[in-house]
Amino acid sequence: MIYLIFTQEGFAEAKSDILEDKADLWINVDMLLPEQLAELSAHGISIYFLPDPVNPNNEKAILAALDYVELQSPKEEILVEYP
């Protein structure tokens, strides 16, 4: 399971599910605070950073990010934040 999250709000809503699922997390660079990253790492969550910043209000950018993540993990289910 992979979560593709673009905002702090989306992360806050999905955090318990991410931890429960032990899911991989793809995010924008600098989206989460160092403390949040450390907490996720302590729970065994793998965190990946998108190569380019994604504007969560731009559907085309979200779809491009989804395409990128799918190329990295083609057989995984991906849950995408749509603000």
Side-chain angles (χ1 to χ4, degrees), residues 57-77:
N57 298 313
N58 181 328
E59 188 172 349
K60 189 173 181 180
I62 291 172
L63 293 174
L66 176 58
D67 286 343
Y68 180 82
V69 173
E70 284 180 328
L71 287 174
Q72 309 309 308
S73 303
K75 297 189 187 285
E76 292 287 329
E77 181 179 348

Side-chain angles (χ1 to χ4, degrees), residues 9 11 20 24 31 33 39 41 49 52 54 58 64 78 83:
E9 295 80 15
F11 174 71
E20 182 179 319
D24 289 349
M31 188 196 86
L33 300 171
E39 178 185 7
S41 293
F49 298 102
D52 298 307
V54 176
N58 181 328
I78 302 172

Side-chain angles (χ1 to χ4, degrees), residues 25-39:
L25 177 62
W26 282 82
I27 58 173
N28 282 324
V29 172
D30 297 332
M31 188 196 86
L32 296 179
L33 300 171
E35 302 82 33
Q36 292 171 307
L37 295 171
E39 178 185 7

